[in-house]
Amino acid sequence: MSEISTIYISIVAFTLCFRASGSGCPVLECWFVQEKPGHGGGFSVPMSQEKSLMFIRTEAYSEETMSELHPPADISPSRVYYVTDPAGTFCSAALNPPKGSVNKPKCEINPFMPHASMVRWASALTDSAQSPVYLQADWFSVSAQGLNEQLTLSNIMRAPSASKEPKVILSVSSKTALVRSRLGEPVLLDCGFWVDPSSPVHGSGFSVEWRYQFRGEGRLVLAYDGKNDRFAETSETGANIDITGLYETGNASLILEESQVRHSGTYICTVYLPHLLAQVAVDLEIVEPPSLSIYPSPLPLLVPGQLLLIQCEASGFAPHTLDLGWEFTGADGKSRSLGQGGVTGHRQASDGTFSQSSRLELDSGKMRLGRGGDVTCVAKHNGGTRRATATLSVIGVSAPSIEDSMAMVAVALLLYGMIKFLYWTFSSSDSSDTELKDKKEK
């Protein structure tokens, strides 16, 4: 009887949670992060973090639906939020792992302070010096990352003062947190945004910005002033967005016409509304495997006791991490490693790609190369493993092979034929001279 009661309670709890989350929206566990009170500004500001929970649904909460929810006891009631998400931006499978899953989505909530933007392509959104009454509320910024990097989300939420019922006002998201591309290919960095149609900021204009960052360096890639319908001047070439999709569906994705090594890095998509902004980051990695060549080509014949220096040249690869090695496959078909050889440092070309070499000294006696075989250069790279093979022949080793024997027989027959031909030629000449001498004597 107790087991039946437990099952019944579990079913009821699941049903209530499903009803509260609004057609499959998750109950999202987050960290609430903010500055510790009583500390002024500075380069290092102490931060505090508390466990928090967001019940999410696409429709507004009622007193009845809220009373049916029972948050865990280890979370303070002041950090439990009942979120209304009309567009269901939180209601993604990437943020709703299967029951019992060890992996959880990452989520962080921060207090947000609405403010006028200082960048020139968004300054027109806040021409008025007055702060709208609409901004007098509690504002929050939520950053979430889905399972397996399937989704990156940044939402701005507004709640009436002292209320725990925020509503999503602005949502910026990307379905491609990490993008890998080959050199020369077009690249799409996904970014989309949504604005609550019932909000006063809807229809008040927007701006979109794409900025690049890599190892402390940054640059503006693209900026569009949606209120005045114009692009900001940048030094970047070959970067565009779909203006039609931007206005119709909020598609702010960045399009790079031809990927280059210099494009590797982090791209930040920022959407500005009057006094509001949200941004997501997308990592782009340009991965190009190496091209391999073995020198000298073809390999010369190797005589026992002789040393042969060969080189493998790997070129045109990115990023620079590469593992070079050598393999030998004998006549019996068995392969074995010959080691890395002498590997040189990296050299970078004008297009940003790298090259590297490995030199190997071949000694037929020490390396047990037999009568030869295939020497292979192996390059292991993030873009895949590449191989280049050259045939090595070792002459004068042990007993002659069938091929050598046949060659010697052919040479012997040829010599025999030449000797026989010369014998017949000289014999005929001597006979003719003798006959001519006899005629003269007569």
Side-chain angles (χ1 to χ4, degrees):
M1 186 69 180
S2 59
E3 293 180 359
I4 297 175
S5 300
T6 303
I7 295 173
Y8 175 76
I9 292 172
S10 299
I11 294 174
V12 171
F14 175 81
T15 304
L16 292 178
C17 183
F18 184 85
R19 286 175 56 191
S21 61
S23 302
C25 295
V27 177
L28 204 55
E29 298 178 3
C30 303
W31 288 103
F32 189 93
V33 181
Q34 63 179 339
E35 295 182 9
K36 287 185 177 180
H39 293 82
F43 292 104
S44 180
V45 179
M47 307 296 289
S48 67
Q49 62 178 21
E50 304 173 69
K51 283 186 177 181
S52 61
L53 192 72
M54 293 196 304
F55 291 102
I56 303 166
R57 57 183 286 135
T58 55
E59 298 176 355
Y61 281 87
S62 65
E63 292 185 3
E64 180 185 357
T65 55
M66 290 179 61
S67 65
E68 294 172 345
L69 301 175
H70 304 285
D74 62 336
I75 297 180
S76 170
S78 63
R79 292 292 173 245
V80 177
Y81 300 93
Y82 304 90
V83 179
T84 301
D85 184 11
T89 57
F90 282 119
C91 307
S92 167
L95 296 176
N96 197 1
K99 186 177 180 180
S101 175
V102 176
N103 297 323
K104 303 289 185 182
K106 299 176 182 178
C107 177
E108 183 176 305
I109 305 175
N110 306 98
F112 180 81
M113 181 66 69
H115 59 280
S117 176
M118 302 303 294
V119 296
R120 63 180 184 277
W121 45 89
S123 59
L125 298 173
T126 52
D127 286 337
S128 174
Q130 297 181 351
S131 178
V133 177
Y134 176 73
L135 299 181
Q136 297 177 9
D138 292 336
W139 292 83
F140 303 95
S141 172
V142 181
S143 300
Q145 185 173 16
L147 301 175
N148 302 320
E149 299 181 335
Q150 295 179 18
L151 176 70
T152 301
L153 184 69
S154 179
N155 283 357
I156 301 298
M157 306 189 303
R158 178 189 183 275
S161 298
S163 167
K164 299 302 176 186
E165 301 177 44
K167 182 181 182 181
V168 176
I169 303 300
L170 169 63
S171 177
V172 178
S173 63
S174 175
K175 298 176 183 177
T176 55
L178 175 62
V179 178
R180 289 186 175 91
S181 173
R182 294 283 298 271
L183 272 178
E185 294 182 349
V187 177
L188 177 70
L189 303 181
D190 180 71
C191 180
F193 72 97
W194 173 87
V195 182
D196 179 18
S198 65
S199 168
V201 297
H202 185 269
S204 300
F206 66 90
S207 293
V208 174
E209 170 193 290
W210 278 95
R211 188 172 292 275
Y212 169 87
Q213 288 185 350
F214 184 68
R215 294 180 180 176
E217 298 182 2
R219 65 176 182 268
L220 180 66
V221 177
L222 181 145
Y224 176 71
D225 180 353
K227 188 170 185 178
N228 296 310
D229 189 22
R230 63 186 179 190
F231 286 93
E233 293 184 4
T234 67
S235 59
E236 193 75 24
T237 58
N240 296 293
I241 57 175
D242 179 7
I243 294 297
T244 302
L246 184 66
Y247 280 93
E248 292 182 354
T249 62
N251 180 11
S253 300
L254 180 68
I255 304 169
L256 300 176
E257 295 178 357
E258 185 178 352
S259 60
Q260 302 174 27
V261 175
R262 68 181 183 89
H263 288 144
S264 288
T266 300
Y267 290 78
I268 301 174
C269 173
T270 305
V271 176
Y272 297 89
L273 296 182
H275 298 95
L276 305 178
L277 69 86
Q279 58 186 203
V280 292
V282 180
D283 290 325
L284 173 61
E285 184 179 1
I286 303 302
V287 180
E288 185 67 20
S291 298
L292 300 181
S293 300
I294 295 180
Y295 301 99
S297 180
L299 297 181
L301 296 176
L302 183 62
V303 178
Q306 177 188 4
L307 298 180
L308 176 62
L309 183 64
I310 62 176
Q311 176 174 313
C312 177
E313 179 75 18
S315 59
F317 60 92
H320 70 277
T321 304
L322 184 70
D323 184 14
L324 282 173
W326 294 90
E327 292 179 355
F328 176 75
T329 303
D332 56 0
K334 296 181 179 180
S335 298
R336 56 187 173 89
S337 172
L338 297 179
Q340 288 186 325
V343 180
T344 65
H346 293 89
R347 302 176 299 277
Q348 191 167 19
S350 58
D351 64 353
T353 59
F354 296 89
S355 60
Q356 193 174 23
S357 302
S358 174
R359 296 182 178 91
L360 182 67
E361 194 175 70
L362 295 177
D363 185 329
S364 62
K366 293 181 179 179
M367 292 183 172
R368 297 179 287 108
L369 301 179
R371 301 196 57 80
D374 290 335
V375 179
T376 303
C377 175
V378 182
K380 296 180 180 180
H381 186 261
N382 289 344
T385 300
R386 295 293 185 268
R387 297 173 179 268
T389 300
T391 300
L392 175 69
S393 296
V394 182
I395 60 174
V397 179
S398 65
S401 64
I402 296 176
E403 292 80 3
D404 291 342
S405 300
M406 293 178 64
M408 287 190 290
V409 170
V411 171
L413 291 174
L414 179 62
L415 290 175
Y416 175 78
M418 291 178 64
I419 292 172
K420 196 71 176 175
F421 174 77
L422 291 173
Y423 172 77
W424 286 339
T425 301
F426 284 112
S427 296
S428 300
S429 176
D430 291 342
S431 177
S432 298
D433 291 342
T434 302
E435 291 178 358
L436 181 62
K437 186 176 179 180
D438 292 340
K439 287 180 180 181
K440 287 182 178 181
E441 291 178 352
K442 291 178 180 180

